Amino acid sequence: MATTIMAGCAQTPADQIAPRQDTVRLCNGNGCADVPRNTATFQGEPGDPEAERRLQALAELAEQDPRAAYDLGLRLLRGDGVTRDSYQAIQWMRKAGDRGHTEAQYALGRLYLLGFEEMGSDPAEAEAWLSLAAAANYKDADKLLAEAQAAKQDEQRLYRIREAYRKSWGAWYTGYPYYWIWAPSGWYLR
């Protein structure tokens, strides 16, 4: 007969070494492991009372800690234990970014530069967030900032072209005749 021994997350000297930045240490009844940071960690389905309790606790923590606001934003973007909600995700990311969280600032810069789901690209907003991340020397923020500035210039140039066309054409649609005309007996084709 085999005996199963449940070990906790005892810290050995090798375990005491800080995990790499791209991993996070997760422990469960079977032990501990370093897993990629993008691993889904909110077990349970959206609407599950336990998942809702954890989400509420994280939201309360997020009001005080920008790292928790960033995490909540990521969970909402990914649908990790919660219903995906890009609007709320961006709101939480903005709360984190407004409080100086550079990863959130960089993430917002990327989201606004590329556009996301129903949200189109906004190079000016991307430039603002990426400027904050670049000022904090966040990796690759300078590169993306240059792209945002170029996209902003392109957007402004295209806007000027569209405005010039609008003004030169006037109300172009006023010169086109209708095919159908209303009369007391109903619509008729000219």
Side-chain angles (χ1 to χ4, degrees), residues 76-77 84-91 111-112 114-122:
L76 288 162
L77 279 175
R84 286 188 80 238
D85 186 336
S86 59
Y87 176 78
Q88 284 296 315
I90 290 171
Q91 295 305 309
L111 286 170
Y112 282 109
L114 303 174
F116 187 73
E117 292 180 355
E118 69 276 359
M119 172 180 91
S121 177
D122 186 343

Side-chain angles (χ1 to χ4, degrees), residues 1-5:
M1 171 180 228
T3 305
T4 304
I5 299 174

Side-chain angles (χ1 to χ4, degrees), residues 99-168:
R99 290 185 278 168
H101 192 275
T102 54
E103 284 179 284
Q105 293 165 346
Y106 182 75
L108 285 162
R110 288 186 69 164
L111 286 170
Y112 282 109
L113 181 60
L114 303 174
F116 187 73
E117 292 180 355
E118 69 276 359
M119 172 180 91
S121 177
D122 186 343
E125 189 74 11
E127 179 186 30
W129 286 110
L130 290 167
S131 293
L132 294 170
N137 295 318
Y138 190 80
K139 180 185 171 194
D140 294 333
D142 287 332
K143 179 181 157 193
L144 224 53
L145 176 59
E147 290 180 31
Q149 290 167 336
K152 181 180 164 186
Q153 291 299 317
D154 288 346
E155 190 72 26
Q156 290 169 344
R157 184 181 59 79
L158 291 171
Y159 176 79
R160 286 191 297 274
I161 291 169
R162 286 190 304 268
E163 280 302 298
Y165 276 121
R166 280 188 201 118
K167 290 176 183 173
S168 70

